[in-house]
Amino acid sequence: MKKVFCIGELLIDFVAENQGKDLSKAKEFTKKAGGAPANVACAISKLSGQSAFVGCVGDDPFGSFLLNILDKESVDLSLVQKSDVFTTLAFVSIDEDGERDFVFSRGADRELKYDSTLKNEFKENIVHFGAATALLGGNLEDAYSRYFFDALTQNAFISFDPNYRIDLWKNKEDVFIKKCIPFIQKSHLCKFSLEEAQLLSGKTDLKEACTYLHEMGTDIIVITLGGEGTLLSTKTHSKTIPSIVVKPVDTTGAGDAFIGCLLKQIATHHNLEQTLDNEDLLTAMVAMANKAGAITTTNFGAIESLPNQKQLLS
């Protein structure tokens, strides 16, 4: 089985309890582990895959809290760095309609320094780039770009999820699009939400959006559509693959569960080019990933809600 290296942020989400979206009125917060790439690493490990997280946390109690959670999920933490800068924090308040108030206090995630020794570990493995904070500058953005080049030169299978957060890119959407383009051009697999696919392509019609994004260079596109399933698109075919019916209570981490499950399945195949040319196999893998994402929405919290292999196969 190939190993999946997940590069990006690991942070604390402080989620406001028992009130609406006005964060100024919040009095009680629940501390949660956050960071899309870290969620993906946990999703893979919980499904008996091999994952490693590449990122930076503060050398403080919050950083220890986060690493303990990933360690309990058997994620390889040997490549994690610690910084004297405080662990990155996000404060979030959400109302019943999903509207939210958001304050982001960026810290140690941006301090990740490039490590040239990782290049050899990438060889013929899988490298997943989750971009929520990785394109916001700092050492992380430099390391992220250099690891991307290393993955290309080491014949790694490359996965990219832009993880667009409107709160982080207000009035700077054009900068976000420009920074995503090189990754879309060279990645084998790109995972988008509906909003991301439309933003990055400039097209509202999904078929036109996929055509545009394929012309950039990516071979496989998966666009998650919530309860409607996932649009799977390659350069030769396109179809929407339905998900299972569930009653969602918290959609946090569903997309990370989806891409983690998909990458874990891809990691079990030795000849990736032959595997990814097989439409029936791809369809089956996306259907299974849909199920993983759906199960995650039936409980509160991202990492604790990620399914294990037994849940997924039941």
Side-chain angles (χ1 to χ4, degrees):
M1 182 181 293
K2 296 179 183 296
K3 193 169 189 176
V4 185
F5 295 84
C6 301
I7 303 176
E9 80 280 0
L10 174 60
L11 52 83
I12 298 284
D13 279 328
F14 282 107
V15 182
E17 301 289 347
N18 304 318
Q19 58 94 43
K21 72 168 183 174
D22 187 351
L23 200 54
S24 68
K25 297 178 181 178
K27 295 181 179 180
E28 297 179 359
F29 294 84
T30 299
K31 180 177 64 176
K32 298 280 189 179
N39 290 343
V40 174
C42 288
I44 292 164
S45 185
K46 288 186 80 165
L47 294 172
S48 302
Q50 297 181 34
S51 68
F53 175 70
V54 183
C56 184
V57 297
D59 190 9
D60 54 41
F62 289 141
S64 297
F65 165 78
L66 293 169
L67 295 181
N68 285 339
I69 288 178
L70 266 63
D71 185 56
K72 287 179 182 177
E73 302 299 345
S74 300
V75 175
D76 181 353
L77 300 178
S78 63
L79 303 172
V80 172
Q81 298 174 14
K82 290 186 177 181
S83 171
D84 291 336
V85 177
F86 63 88
T87 296
T88 298
L89 310 174
F91 296 85
V92 188
S93 182
I94 307 172
D95 68 13
E96 292 180 355
D97 297 323
E99 294 296 318
R100 71 179 188 172
D101 202 359
F102 178 91
V103 174
F104 186 62
S105 181
R106 195 172 188 206
D109 81 281
R110 72 182 298 161
E111 301 303 318
L112 180 70
K113 294 179 175 62
Y114 172 72
D115 179 357
S116 61
T117 63
L118 261 67
K119 180 176 181 178
N120 293 331
E121 295 199 45
F122 290 167
K123 188 174 180 64
E124 296 184 356
N125 278 307
I126 297 174
V127 187
H128 175 68
F129 294 87
T133 69
L135 303 180
L136 291 172
N139 289 331
L140 172 59
E141 184 168 1
D142 174 69
Y144 197 78
S145 297
R146 295 174 74 177
Y147 286 139
F148 185 63
F149 180 78
D150 286 348
L152 289 169
T153 61
Q154 293 302 302
N155 197 34
F157 180 88
I158 300 173
S159 166
F160 176 63
D161 184 347
N163 287 125
Y164 175 68
R165 302 288 185 266
I166 189 171
D167 309 274
L168 301 179
W169 293 99
K170 285 180 180 176
N171 304 316
K172 298 183 292 183
E173 291 85 357
D174 56 335
V175 177
F176 175 79
I177 294 168
K178 183 178 180 180
K179 289 187 175 186
C180 285
I181 288 174
F183 294 89
I184 299 171
Q185 289 174 329
K186 299 293 185 180
S187 295
H188 299 90
L189 168 68
C190 286
K191 179 260 176 192
F192 304 115
S193 66
L194 174 61
E195 179 186 24
E196 289 164 348
Q198 293 173 331
L199 174 67
L200 292 166
S201 67
K203 313 288 184 183
T204 54
D205 180 81
L206 283 187
K207 184 176 181 181
E208 293 179 2
C210 287
T211 298
Y212 181 90
L213 295 165
H214 281 307
E215 287 175 350
M216 277 192 191
T218 188
D219 296 315
I220 301 169
I221 295 169
V222 285
I223 302 176
T224 52
L225 304 172
E228 296 179 22
T230 299
L231 175 63
L232 166 65
S233 179
T234 71
K235 292 180 179 179
T236 58
H237 61 270
S238 176
K239 67 168 70 173
T240 297
I241 301 164
S243 186
I244 62 171
V245 178
V246 296
K247 185 176 182 180
V249 296
D250 181 6
T251 60
T252 304
D256 302 327
F258 170 89
I259 191 62
C261 180
L262 184 57
L263 290 175
K264 188 268 178 177
Q265 294 175 85
I266 291 172
T268 63
H269 295 273
H270 178 69
N271 189 329
L272 293 183
E273 287 188 11
Q274 186 177 12
T275 300
L276 299 175
D277 282 338
N278 186 327
E279 180 181 351
D280 291 339
L281 180 57
L282 267 181
T283 299
M285 289 196 293
V286 170
M288 185 66 75
N290 280 345
K291 186 175 181 181
I295 292 172
T296 302
T297 70
T298 60
N299 290 295
F300 290 97
I303 292 176
E304 53 263 51
S305 301
L306 296 166
N308 56 37
Q309 193 77 351
K310 183 178 179 180
Q311 290 172 299
L312 196 61
L313 297 177
S314 64

